[in-house]
Amino acid sequence: SAVAYAVTIAAVPKLISLCSTHWRAVSAVAYAVNVVAVSIPGRIDGEMQEHARRRKAQSANASASSPAIPEDSEFRSLFTPAGWAFAIWGVIYLGEGFGTALQVANAGDVAAVRGVVPYWACACALQTL
């Protein structure tokens, strides 16, 4: 939401001062919170999946080729990608985890990483929404 975005952006100056001394911890905690938050059931994508599963189980003539989200569903949109399209998130999280591990291990240009960490923490925070 817009309020969460504004609060996150407003926190950047405080994050910058915190990151000047504890930037490795901030990076690791931001990524950990992100992973935990997106793993918790109850997000809208989980609701859509559960709704589709119930509808399919109730339908006597549901076939394997029927759409994942029924035509009359409240979750239906103009463009609903296939379930496999979301596999990219596995690659994204592996890359984020690798980048976080490099930051914590002090690999690369420390000054550059230290300057990026506040924005990385904000990105992780916004991803949890």
Side-chain angles (χ1 to χ4, degrees):
S1 76
V3 173
Y5 177 76
V7 168
T8 303
I9 296 304
V12 170
K14 295 223 185 275
L15 275 172
I16 289 172
S17 66
L18 179 64
C19 289
S20 66
T21 54
H22 306 329
W23 60 274
R24 286 186 192 99
V26 170
S27 180
V29 168
Y31 180 68
V33 168
N34 184 8
V35 169
V36 169
V38 300
S39 301
I40 296 172
R43 296 171 55 92
I44 191 164
D45 49 354
E47 291 176 25
M48 291 186 319
Q49 184 178 17
E50 179 61 25
H51 179 75
R53 188 192 62 73
R54 276 184 284 153
R55 288 285 301 260
K56 201 172 240 188
Q58 290 174 353
S59 177
N61 59 359
S63 69
S65 64
S66 63
I69 300 175
E71 298 290 331
D72 61 343
S73 173
E74 65 184 289
F75 299 110
R76 192 79 183 165
S77 66
L78 294 176
F79 177 73
T80 303
W84 59 264
F86 296 98
I88 189 66
W89 283 102
V91 175
I92 291 170
Y93 275 98
L94 282 174
E96 289 180 350
F98 183 69
T100 301
L102 287 176
Q103 291 175 25
V104 171
N106 203 17
D109 183 3
V110 174
V113 172
R114 189 181 293 175
V116 169
V117 168
Y119 303 99
W120 163 248
C122 286
C124 287
L126 290 172
Q127 238 176 303
T128 64
L129 301 178

